[in-house]
Amino acid sequence: MAPMGIRLSPLGMAVFCLLGLGVLYHLYSGFLAGRFAFFMLSEPGGGGAETPRGSAPGGTVDLRELLAVSVLAAVRGGEEVKRVREGNVLNAKAKGKTREGAEEQLTSGDLLSNRRMFYLLKGAFPAVQINSEERVDTADEETVSWDRSIPEEIKQKIQPKEVPAESVTVWIDPLDATQEYTEDLRQYVTTMVCAAVNGKPVIGVIHKPFSAYTAWAMVDGGSNVKARSSYNEKTPRIIVSRSHAGKVKQVARQTFGNKTVIIPAGGAGYKVLALLDVDEKNQEEADVYIHVTYIKKWDICAGNAVLRALGGHMTTLSGEEISYTGSDGNEGGLIASINMNHKALIEKLPDLEKTSHK
């Protein structure tokens, strides 16, 4: 007999057991469903937190997104460049000599701009190779996030285009024209980002920190800058490095005539902008850009991409295309033009190619 005089029939016991099993089944199935949902959400593509494109080997990169973050990186780096210069806390020091024996300067502006630009790009596209002029010190690592927003101007002009992440190489110049920066020749200073796909430059961003002007372009996409339409091929205005003006002047005037104008200037970014229709009062205008010695690829990649996007050319002095993979230097000098007969220009300058390897 059961306690309290209650008699439990076999049928009642069976019903009680079935109800208990039902409750246990309900609880346990809910637990399993929760675990399954957690598993699915934590898997890539399962609807969980978005994984940045290009974050794993074999991933893809949307070039429109890369252009957007490249523009932001150039601007953010430019803010550091401007802040250091206006605060007059350059802390300039020599970091070595060029092949020509000139001292290369390094400032706080270079380093702070480089850190901001590198980590912004690396955070957005972790799997993409990034080459920068300045060394990245892991002790100074910082988290610089991108909210993945794309400016309306880029949305309107550029369509999404995905490429394999392993095909992309990004080149950063955190402060172009450092020598001029130390001399307070601010008009020559730029920050630049370039993206090459399989060695060919396809995205170029050139930003002028002290006027907040930014030129950007994507090959087979669009741009926010145009080429100038008026040129004189017979007596072109040739823009060159300040230190090379004398060397180029003699050969150029022998080739094009005594009326040829030589424009000495600082910074590869500034020189490329001189070939374009730029609404800047401190920007000179030129028809051809020539460099007669070894030059680093982060100096020229962005300008090369912008020119290509607008139908222009940047080659070595012998007419070879410049590949933006492998070593960080270009041995063959360069000649850049737009809306001109580039091949004819190269043929007129045979003597300059010999000097580019010195």
Side-chain angles (χ1 to χ4, degrees):
M1 181 178 290
M4 304 295 293
I6 299 174
R7 184 185 298 274
L8 296 177
S9 68
L11 178 61
M13 288 290 293
V15 170
F16 181 81
C17 291
L18 288 173
L19 288 172
L21 289 172
V23 171
L24 289 173
Y25 174 78
H26 178 74
L27 292 173
Y28 190 66
S29 63
F31 171 78
L32 286 177
R35 294 302 297 168
F36 180 75
F38 175 81
F39 174 78
M40 291 301 293
L41 287 171
S42 64
E43 286 293 304
E50 182 179 0
T51 301
R53 297 178 188 270
S55 62
T60 60
V61 170
D62 182 349
L63 292 180
R64 183 170 74 167
E65 290 186 351
L66 183 53
L67 170 60
V69 75
S70 295
V71 170
L72 181 60
V75 172
R76 291 279 179 85
E79 291 170 356
E80 296 297 315
V81 168
K82 183 179 179 182
R83 181 176 63 83
V84 170
R85 179 65 266 183
E86 292 183 344
N88 199 29
V89 286
L90 274 63
N91 297 318
K93 61 181 180 181
K95 68 175 182 179
K97 291 182 179 291
T98 66
R99 289 189 180 185
E100 298 167 292
E103 290 283 358
E104 283 193 282
Q105 296 290 308
L106 178 67
T107 71
S108 295
D110 294 87
L111 297 174
L112 293 172
S113 174
N114 183 69
R115 185 173 69 182
R116 180 61 57 88
M117 294 172 71
F118 178 87
Y119 285 114
L120 177 57
L121 287 158
K122 197 66 178 176
F125 296 97
V128 169
Q129 179 180 338
I130 301 176
N131 297 333
S132 178
E133 180 174 7
E134 307 304 337
R135 178 175 174 271
V136 179
D137 191 342
T138 54
D140 293 329
E141 183 174 350
E142 63 175 285
T143 301
V144 186
S145 61
W146 176 45
D147 62 7
R148 309 196 75 78
S149 64
I150 300 176
E152 284 301 319
E153 186 179 30
I154 292 178
K155 281 185 178 179
Q156 292 172 6
K157 296 183 177 181
I158 308 292
Q159 295 299 312
K161 182 178 181 180
E162 293 195 356
V163 298
E166 62 268 23
S167 70
V168 179
T169 305
V170 172
W171 296 85
I172 299 174
D173 193 340
L175 200 170
D176 190 40
T178 300
Q179 180 61 45
E180 285 74 18
Y181 182 66
T182 63
E183 298 172 18
D184 209 16
L185 300 173
R186 304 183 183 195
Q187 71 272 25
Y188 297 127
V189 175
T190 62
T191 57
M192 296 188 285
V193 180
C194 174
V197 178
N198 295 321
K200 295 184 178 180
V202 297
I203 288 174
V205 180
I206 305 174
H207 175 68
K208 299 182 79 171
F210 297 102
S211 65
Y213 174 81
T214 306
W216 58 259
M218 181 172 137
V219 176
D220 296 327
S223 69
N224 71 338
V225 64
K226 298 179 180 179
R228 289 188 297 105
S229 57
S230 58
Y231 299 92
N232 188 338
E233 290 195 47
K234 294 182 179 179
T235 56
R237 291 165 293 179
I238 300 177
I239 193 164
V240 300
S241 294
R242 296 161 70 203
S243 59
H244 300 164
K247 182 185 297 184
V248 176
K249 182 176 181 179
Q250 182 179 358
V251 176
R253 289 191 171 176
Q254 288 174 353
T255 304
F256 297 108
N258 291 329
K259 292 183 179 180
T260 301
V261 176
I262 303 298
I263 304 172
Y270 178 90
K271 297 183 188 86
V272 168
L273 291 178
L275 307 181
L276 308 177
D277 185 7
V278 175
D279 186 18
E280 284 275 283
K281 63 180 182 180
N282 290 326
Q283 179 66 58
E284 295 167 283
E285 294 183 352
D287 303 312
V288 182
Y289 165 28
I290 293 176
H291 188 86
V292 296
T293 59
Y294 174 87
I295 191 169
K296 293 295 183 69
K297 291 178 182 177
W298 43 66
D299 289 315
I300 59 176
C301 186
N304 198 340
V306 172
L307 289 173
R308 285 188 69 224
L310 298 175
H313 302 274
M314 179 184 288
T315 65
T316 66
L317 292 171
S318 60
E320 297 175 353
E321 296 294 332
I322 301 168
S323 175
Y324 293 91
T325 56
S327 69
D328 60 15
N330 172 52
E331 296 280 357
L334 70 85
I335 179 169
S337 68
I338 190 167
N339 288 344
M340 298 183 75
N341 187 333
H342 193 76
K343 184 178 179 181
L345 287 171
I346 293 169
E347 292 173 349
K348 288 180 178 180
L349 297 170
D351 295 331
L352 287 177
E353 199 276 334
K354 297 177 183 178
T355 70
S356 66
H357 299 282
K358 295 181 179 179

